[in-house]
Amino acid sequence: MNRTLLAFLRKELMQTLRDPRMRVILFIMPVVQMTVFGLALSTEVRDIRLRVLREPGDSAMARLEERFYASGWFVPAAGGGETDSDATLYAPPGGFRRAMERGEGDVQLIVDAVNAAKARAIEAYANAILAGFLRSGLGPGEPPPAIDLDVRVLYNPAMESAVFMVPGVMSMILCLVTIVLTSMSFAREREGGTFETIVSAPLHDWEIILGKTLPYILLGLVDAALVITAGVLLFSVPLRGPLWILALSAFVFIITTVSVGTLISTIADSQQQAMLGGFLFLFPAILMSGIMFPVENMPPAIAWVAHLDPLMYFVRLLRNVLLKGGDPWVVGSNLAVLAAMACGAAALAFKRFRQTLN
Amino acid sequence: MSLLDWRRTLSISRKEVRHVRRDPFTLALALGLPVLLVTFFGFAIDFEVRDIGLSVHDQDDSRASRQLAEVFSSSGFFRLQKAEDPGRLLRELDSERASAVLVIEPGFGKDAGAGRGASAQLILDGADNTRASAMLGYLPGITAAAQARLLGSAPPQPARLRTRFLYNPELNSRWFVIPGLTVVVVGLLAILLTALTVAREWENGSMELLLSTPVRPLEIILGKLLPYVVLCFLGAGVVYLTARLGFGVPFRGSHLLAVAAGAMFLLACLSWGLLISVATRQQQLAMQLSLISGLLPSLLLSGFVFPIESMPPFFQYFTSILPQKWFMIVARGEFLKGAGVLDLAKPLLALFVMDAVLITAALKRFKRDLEP
C-alpha cells in the first residue's frame, strides 16, 4: 500500500475518533441499543387483560374463567372499566350450564381490536381454551381429544424473544452506524471548504475514495465484532455456523452500506441534505428488512423494493448462520446478491464522485 | 422589560423561513416525505403471513392423516409440499425450503379412529419471529378445525364463542398501521429538521452575529421552533387527508383535541432535535445523534409494532420517555376509539411535561454556551 493513501487513512480515522462523543456513538451506543431492544421487544401476545361478566352463582362460568387465567395468556383486568381490559367475556344470561343444556351456550367475547393482529390472536386463544374446557369438564361422556398437535419450535425452543430479535437488531444497528458515519463525509468537506484542499492534493481519485471508505469499513467491522460478541455473550444467541462465514457476510454487508452512504454524500449539497438522504435510505431499509413485519406476502408492486434492500438479505444471512448453522445454498445466494449490490453501489459512488470533480 | 418580545421572536422565525425556502430539497422532503412513506408502507405492512411453506412427511397415509394435512392447506395460511428427503427433515428448515414440517407417524389414523388421541408432530422454524409468532397464532384455530374434521361431522357443540371486535370490526390492519406510521414518520422528520439548525449557525459563525443583536436566548429558541411547527403541521395535515380519503381510516374523536395533542407532540420532537443541536454545536455529530436516538427507538419502542404491554415491566416504564409512545396512544385513540380528554389525560399530561422539560433543557444548555 502506498504512503499517501496510508496517511490519508490515518487522517480520516483520527478525525473520526478524536471526539470522545463520537467514540461513545461508535462503540457504546450500539451495545446499549442492542441490549435494550434485545430485552424489551417481543412479538408474543401475553398478559391479555380479561374481564369476565357473570352472575355470582354461575360456577360453570367461574371454572371457564379459571381456565382462561391458567392458560398463561390471560390475566384478570385490574380496573372494572372498559378501557382497562383488552377483552371482555359475557356469560349467557341465566347461567352458563343452563344455557348449554338449552343448546344456547354462546359466550360472547368482545375484543379491543385497535391492534388487529393482537385481536386475532386473542380470539384464537379464547377459542382454544373454550374447546379444551368443553372437552375436559362439562361435555357429556368426556370425548378425548381426537388429535394432539405436538408443536416444537426449532432453533429457539424456549421462544426467547432475544434469540428472535438480536440477529435482526444487530443488522439494523450495523446498517445505521455505517450509513450515519459515511453519508456526511463528502458533504461535510464541501460545506467546510476542505473538499478543494483534498482534491488539489497529490492524490488519485481512487485514493480519495478509498481513503474515505476504508476507515469506515474498518470501524464497521469493529462494530460488527462488538455487537455479535455482545449478542452471543449477553443473550446467549447461539453461533451455530462457522465464524468465517459470519465475518465474510458482515464484511460484504458493510461494504454495501458504506458505499451507499458515500453515494449519498456525493449527491448531497449540504449536510442537511445528506442527513435527510441517509434517513430516506435507512427508514425503508429497516421497515422492509423483515424484522418488524413479514415481507413475503407484500403485493408485487411493492415487493420489488424489498428485493433492493441490502438489509433484508443480511438479516436472512445472519439468522441462517447464527441459528441454523449456515445452509450452503442460502448463504451462497444471499451473499452473492449482497456482493453484487456492494459492487453496484461502489461503482455508482465512484462515478458520482468523479462527476463532482469536473 | 418583558421576558419575551414577540416581534424579535418572529424575526428569528422569518430568518429561519428564508433558510428553509432557499433549500427546496428540504422543503419538498418535509412536505412530501410523510405522505409518501405513509402511503407506501400503508400498502406494504401486513402482519398476516400467508403461503407459509409446510413440508408434510406422512408416514401413515391414512384417511385421517390426509384429512389433517388438508385442514392445514384449507386454512389458507399454508402451502403444502411433500418433504424432499424424509431422512433429513430438518434440512427443509435449514435450507429455508419450508417454514414448518408436519410429521405424521404410522398409526395416526388407527389412534384417531379408536379415539385414543392421535398425535402428530409439527416443527416450526423459530429463526424468524414474524413468521413463527404468526404460525403460533394460527395453530389453535387449526387444531380446533382438525378436531372437528376427524371426529366426523362436527360434534354437537354445547357452547361456542361469538366474538365481536370493537373499533375495527373487520380487523383491517391498515387502521392499526397508518395512525402509528404517521406518528413515527412525522416525529422523526421533526427531530431531523431542527437537529442541524443551531449547529449550522455555530459552524458557519453566524451564531456570534446573531448573539450580538439584542435577541435573547429564549427568543432564538422559540423563533427557531415556530416555523418548523407550522411546516410539520402541514406535512401531518396531508397525511391525515391521505389516511381518511385514501385508506378510509375512520376518525371518531375530536379534531380539536387531536390538533392540540399533535402540536404538543411536534413541539416535543422539534425541541428534542433542537436540544441535540444546541448540545453538540457540530452538524455531523448532531445528525448522528438524532438518527441514532430517533430512528430505532421510535420504530421499535413506541408501540408502533411491538406492543408495549408485552415488554418486561421495566421497559414499560422506560418507554415513557419517548413522546412517540404517548402520541401513539392519542392518535390511535382519536382515530379509532373516539377517546375524550379524560381518557387521554395521562398522555396529554406527559406530552406537556416533555415540552416543558425539553425546551427548558435546550434553553439552559444554550445559555451555558453563551457565558464567556
Side-chain angles (χ1 to χ4, degrees), chain A residues 15-348:
Chain A
Q15 208 172 21
T16 313
L17 292 177
R18 132 188 99 181
D19 191 336
R21 295 176 294 185
M22 193 69 189
R23 294 200 290 266
V24 172
I25 288 184
L26 266 176
F27 303 122
I28 297 179
M29 288 289 264
V31 178
V32 170
Q33 287 211 330
M34 205 181 71
T35 313
V36 169
F37 299 137
L39 288 175
L41 302 182
S42 142
T43 41
E44 216 183 337
V45 179
R46 258 179 306 141
D47 295 346
I48 305 159
R49 294 166 303 163
L50 178 75
R51 196 162 59 117
V52 180
L53 295 184
R54 60 178 164 85
E55 284 155 41
D58 194 342
S59 65
M61 197 64 195
R63 262 186 295 150
L64 179 62
E65 186 179 351
E66 271 314 303
R67 262 193 107 96
F68 267 85
Y69 301 143
S71 71
W73 288 315
F74 292 87
V75 294
E82 190 152 322
T83 48
D84 300 319
S85 60
D86 301 313
T88 311
L89 208 56
Y90 289 93
F96 188 32
R97 179 186 291 276
R98 200 106 48 80
M100 273 196 290
E101 282 160 8
R102 283 200 310 269
E104 301 164 349
D106 285 4
V107 181
Q108 200 176 36
L109 180 71
I110 310 272
V111 182
D112 179 336
V114 167
N115 183 343
K118 188 177 168 187
R120 207 173 277 132
I122 293 176
E123 191 201 18
Y125 293 152
N127 258 319
I129 292 167
L130 181 65
F133 175 72
L134 292 177
R135 273 200 309 272
S136 67
L138 288 160
E142 285 196 32
I147 65 149
D148 166 37
L149 269 189
D150 169 21
V151 180
R152 269 200 328 164
V153 180
L154 213 64
Y155 312 116
N156 183 9
M159 289 286 288
E160 278 174 61
S161 51
V163 175
F164 276 151
M165 290 309 303
V166 166
V169 169
M170 271 179 197
S171 24
M172 286 197 270
I173 289 174
L174 274 185
C175 186
L176 180 70
V177 170
T178 46
I179 290 286
V180 147
L181 269 180
T182 48
S183 58
M184 273 201 170
S185 60
F186 282 119
R188 180 158 174 237
E189 306 263 6
R190 205 167 308 143
E191 212 171 295
T194 47
F195 188 65
E196 277 73 25
T197 326
I198 292 181
V199 172
S200 59
L203 286 163
H204 294 286
D205 304 351
W206 60 269
E207 284 174 328
I208 299 179
I209 279 278
L210 274 186
K212 277 284 182 192
T213 47
L214 275 184
Y216 302 111
I217 294 177
L218 200 71
L219 289 175
L221 279 175
V222 172
D223 259 338
L226 213 61
V227 287
I228 290 170
T229 314
V232 172
L233 291 183
L234 292 178
F235 292 103
S236 38
V237 173
L239 172 59
R240 302 203 174 105
L243 193 62
W244 69 271
I245 289 189
L246 198 65
L248 181 67
S249 317
F251 181 61
V252 174
F253 176 66
I254 288 167
I255 293 181
T256 316
T257 52
V258 165
S259 307
V260 170
T262 312
L263 181 64
I264 292 171
S265 92
T266 54
I267 293 173
D269 286 331
S270 65
Q271 297 189 59
Q272 171 126 24
Q273 288 186 3
M275 174 172 84
L276 291 172
F279 170 68
L280 212 54
F281 171 77
L282 281 170
F283 191 79
I286 287 173
L287 276 181
M288 301 297 248
S289 63
I291 301 164
M292 301 179 64
F293 64 94
V295 288
E296 292 91 349
N297 303 122
M298 281 190 304
I302 284 171
W304 64 270
V305 181
H307 288 283
L308 292 179
D309 182 0
L311 193 54
M312 185 191 80
Y313 297 99
F314 186 56
V315 171
R316 285 190 185 169
L317 253 175
L318 209 56
R319 279 184 175 149
N320 199 282
V321 175
L322 283 174
L323 303 177
K324 301 185 179 178
D327 176 77
W329 195 83
V330 174
V331 169
S333 58
N334 284 304
L335 207 54
V337 176
L338 268 184
M341 282 183 169
C343 293
L348 263 178

